[in-house]
Amino acid sequence: MTTATLAPARVEDSRIGLSGTLRHVGALTRRNLMRIKADPESMFDAVLMPVIFTVLFVYVFGGAVSGNQDAYKQYMVPGLLGQTGLTLAMAVGTGLNSDFQTGVMDRFRTLPIGRSAVLLSKIVAETCRALLSFAILIGFAMCIGFEVKTGPLEVLAAVGLSLLFGMSIVWVSMLLGMSLRSAQAVQGVAMLVLMPLQFGSSIFAPTSTMPGWLRSFTEVNPLSALADASRALLNGEGAVAHPVMIVLVWSVAATAVFAPLAVARFRKRT
């Protein structure tokens, strides 16, 4: 394809307004969702991961951690909301890297669309995947004995908070996907980020049992605040305002820092 063919798309891109960008986001989001419909296996992580983690930790580790599996369900399941959102978010970068490798982005480059619309459409599509995963997690947990001790508004607040934090991490994941050379490298770096954040938090075990140096890390780990906020919202026990505020600050800060970097990196590559 010649440079002359590509030029009109770049000129038009600079003139696209908000309404045009929103139309492009809608069209690209529909494309992303249609790809999922055509490849339902890509939803296995969103559908099966909540079930596997719940069964694994409740019935394998629950008795050892708390001595009471029923009590452990009430402790661990709210924390899994944040863990699920984070894991799904970090997987976005791998898919974005594959899009560059397979030439999908070369086709987008020829179109007069807003460059940010490509990334925003992935956020919207990932939001749909995350909501499905959260619904499966809570529904399955209730089937095995988890009890929501508050009301529907508190449940929606816990889901919304986990979704907000997860979507802020999507920007980090997309930046990694555009900065590293291969999908395998993105997946490897994502695991290096996920493991300390997940297990160095209060999701699976109380931080009071941890050594002092690790407890210091868990206190600044946003996943600990997210787990604590979700427990307070779903179990009706403990402080809500402080952990919620911490999660909001982390989410806004991550988006403010990494969203412009991701968009700039995307424009540079396309």
Side-chain angles (χ1 to χ4, degrees):
M1 188 162 292
T2 64
T3 304
T5 306
L6 297 177
R10 292 196 180 275
V11 172
E12 190 71 22
D13 179 56
S14 64
R15 300 175 181 175
I16 295 173
L18 177 60
S19 60
T21 299
L22 291 177
R23 287 198 304 272
H24 299 158
V25 170
L28 292 173
T29 298
R30 182 176 181 275
R31 170 192 173 273
N32 291 332
L33 295 177
M34 291 299 291
R35 287 182 65 186
I36 293 175
K37 182 179 179 180
D39 182 22
E41 289 85 357
S42 64
M43 288 294 294
F44 279 177
D45 58 342
V47 173
L48 297 179
M49 184 174 61
V51 176
I52 292 173
F53 268 95
T54 302
V55 172
L56 180 66
F57 281 94
V58 168
Y59 295 109
V60 176
F61 301 111
V65 173
S66 69
N68 185 317
Q69 289 181 345
D70 291 332
Y72 190 64
K73 292 171 192 174
Q74 297 299 134
Y75 179 88
M76 187 270 299
V77 169
L80 276 185
L81 284 172
Q83 187 263 355
T84 300
L86 179 64
T87 303
L88 292 176
M90 291 303 293
V92 176
T94 304
L96 185 61
N97 185 279
S98 297
D99 285 343
F100 277 101
Q101 300 299 329
T102 56
V104 173
M105 293 305 170
D106 291 334
R107 292 197 292 272
F108 287 154
R109 187 184 303 161
T110 67
L111 300 175
I113 60 176
R115 294 297 177 255
S116 60
V118 178
L119 302 183
L120 290 173
S121 66
K122 288 190 172 293
I123 294 279
V124 178
E126 194 59 30
T127 296
C128 297
R129 274 170 38 90
L131 288 174
L132 174 63
S133 191
F134 293 155
I136 292 173
L137 170 61
I138 295 176
F140 178 74
M142 293 179 69
C143 288
I144 63 172
F146 175 75
E147 181 182 357
V148 176
K149 298 181 179 179
T150 53
L153 292 180
E154 288 80 2
V155 174
L156 291 176
V159 169
L161 197 64
S162 299
L163 184 64
L164 176 65
F165 180 74
M167 294 309 101
S168 70
I169 301 300
V170 169
W171 292 109
V172 181
S173 178
M174 290 194 294
L175 181 60
L176 287 175
M178 293 182 287
S179 301
L180 300 177
R181 292 187 177 182
S182 67
Q184 291 82 0
V186 177
Q187 190 174 23
V189 173
M191 288 301 298
L192 291 176
V193 174
L194 286 173
M195 296 298 285
L197 286 177
Q198 290 175 350
F199 294 100
S201 71
S202 63
I203 291 178
F204 302 111
T207 59
S208 58
T209 63
M210 301 177 184
W213 61 269
L214 183 55
R215 196 181 309 123
S216 299
F217 174 76
T218 63
E219 290 175 355
V220 298
N221 185 345
L223 276 185
S224 293
L226 181 54
D228 294 341
S230 296
R231 287 189 195 102
L233 288 167
L234 297 181
N235 294 332
E237 300 174 355
V240 176
H242 181 66
V244 166
M245 184 59 63
I246 292 176
V247 175
L248 292 177
V249 170
W250 272 97
S251 301
V252 171
T255 302
V257 172
F258 290 101
L261 292 176
V263 173
R265 181 65 179 173
F266 183 77
R267 286 174 175 167
K268 183 178 180 180
R269 290 202 60 173
T270 57

XYZ file of all heavy atoms in Angstrom, residues 62 66-78 145-146 149 235:
140
model
N -8.849 -23.427 52.235
C -9.739 -22.787 53.198
C -9.598 -23.307 54.611
O -9.503 -22.535 55.575
N -8.089 -20.715 57.575
C -8.980 -20.192 58.610
C -9.513 -21.257 59.552
O -10.074 -20.926 60.599
C -10.169 -19.479 57.952
O -11.005 -20.421 57.306
N -9.380 -22.537 59.166
C -9.938 -23.601 59.995
C -11.418 -23.810 59.794
O -12.004 -24.745 60.337
N -12.038 -22.969 59.001
C -13.483 -23.057 58.757
C -13.748 -22.629 57.324
O -13.585 -21.469 56.972
C -14.231 -22.138 59.739
C -15.739 -22.284 59.623
O -16.291 -22.354 58.531
N -16.420 -22.333 60.764
N -14.165 -23.558 56.480
C -14.362 -23.248 55.069
C -15.477 -22.237 54.845
O -15.388 -21.391 53.948
C -14.635 -24.533 54.287
C -13.419 -25.434 54.149
C -13.708 -26.685 53.348
O -14.871 -27.025 53.116
N -12.665 -27.390 52.933
N -16.539 -22.313 55.650
C -17.633 -21.357 55.486
C -17.172 -19.939 55.792
O -17.520 -18.992 55.075
C -18.802 -21.732 56.398
C -19.493 -23.013 55.946
O -19.448 -23.305 54.732
O -20.058 -23.721 56.801
N -16.395 -19.785 56.859
C -15.865 -18.466 57.198
C -14.892 -17.976 56.132
O -14.842 -16.782 55.807
C -15.183 -18.508 58.565
N -14.135 -18.912 55.556
C -13.158 -18.526 54.552
C -13.830 -18.065 53.265
O -13.310 -17.188 52.568
C -12.210 -19.686 54.254
C -11.028 -19.288 53.399
C -10.087 -18.372 53.861
C -10.859 -19.813 52.123
C -9.007 -17.994 53.073
C -9.786 -19.447 51.336
C -8.867 -18.537 51.819
O -7.789 -18.170 51.040
N -14.977 -18.643 52.940
C -15.720 -18.168 51.770
C -16.064 -16.693 51.926
O -15.929 -15.906 50.984
C -17.002 -18.973 51.587
C -16.809 -20.422 51.199
C -18.133 -21.162 51.260
C -17.931 -22.669 51.159
N -19.200 -23.412 51.351
N -16.533 -16.326 53.106
C -16.906 -14.934 53.333
C -15.697 -14.014 53.273
O -15.825 -12.841 52.924
C -17.594 -14.795 54.697
C -18.897 -15.556 54.832
C -19.953 -15.099 53.842
O -20.629 -15.882 53.200
N -20.108 -13.788 53.711
N -14.539 -14.546 53.614
C -13.317 -13.733 53.594
C -12.738 -13.632 52.186
O -12.361 -12.540 51.733
C -12.269 -14.343 54.534
C -10.964 -13.573 54.550
C -10.780 -12.503 55.422
C -9.919 -13.898 53.684
C -9.600 -11.785 55.432
C -8.731 -13.179 53.679
C -8.577 -12.129 54.562
O -7.397 -11.416 54.564
N -12.656 -14.757 51.492
C -11.890 -14.823 50.253
C -12.665 -14.381 49.016
O -12.111 -13.714 48.139
C -11.367 -16.251 50.062
C -10.404 -16.452 48.900
S -11.264 -16.886 47.360
C -12.062 -18.421 47.823
N -13.942 -14.723 48.917
C -14.706 -14.444 47.701
C -14.750 -12.949 47.366
O -14.540 -12.578 46.200
C -16.122 -15.034 47.802
C -17.004 -14.519 46.660
C -16.054 -16.555 47.759
N -15.006 -12.045 48.317
C -14.970 -10.618 47.949
C -13.619 -10.186 47.389
O -13.562 -9.383 46.449
C -15.277 -9.914 49.276
C -16.058 -10.909 50.064
C -15.453 -12.225 49.719
N -22.432 -21.649 49.005
C -22.622 -21.241 50.386
C -22.197 -19.839 50.754
O -22.379 -19.417 51.902
N -21.649 -19.063 49.810
C -21.310 -17.678 50.120
C -22.591 -16.874 50.317
O -23.559 -17.027 49.580
C -20.470 -17.063 49.003
C -20.186 -15.604 49.200
C -19.261 -15.180 50.127
C -20.853 -14.645 48.434
C -18.998 -13.833 50.307
C -20.593 -13.302 48.597
C -19.664 -12.886 49.541
N -24.408 -10.393 52.691
C -25.091 -9.953 53.907
C -25.582 -8.515 53.823
O -26.079 -7.978 54.816
C -24.146 -10.114 55.099
C -23.731 -11.565 55.335
C -22.823 -11.700 56.537
C -22.442 -13.158 56.771
N -21.538 -13.333 57.931
N -20.048 -8.099 53.071
C -20.297 -8.712 54.381
C -20.905 -7.757 55.390
O -21.376 -8.182 56.450
C -18.992 -9.274 54.957
C -18.445 -10.428 54.139
O -19.195 -11.146 53.487
N -17.135 -10.606 54.158
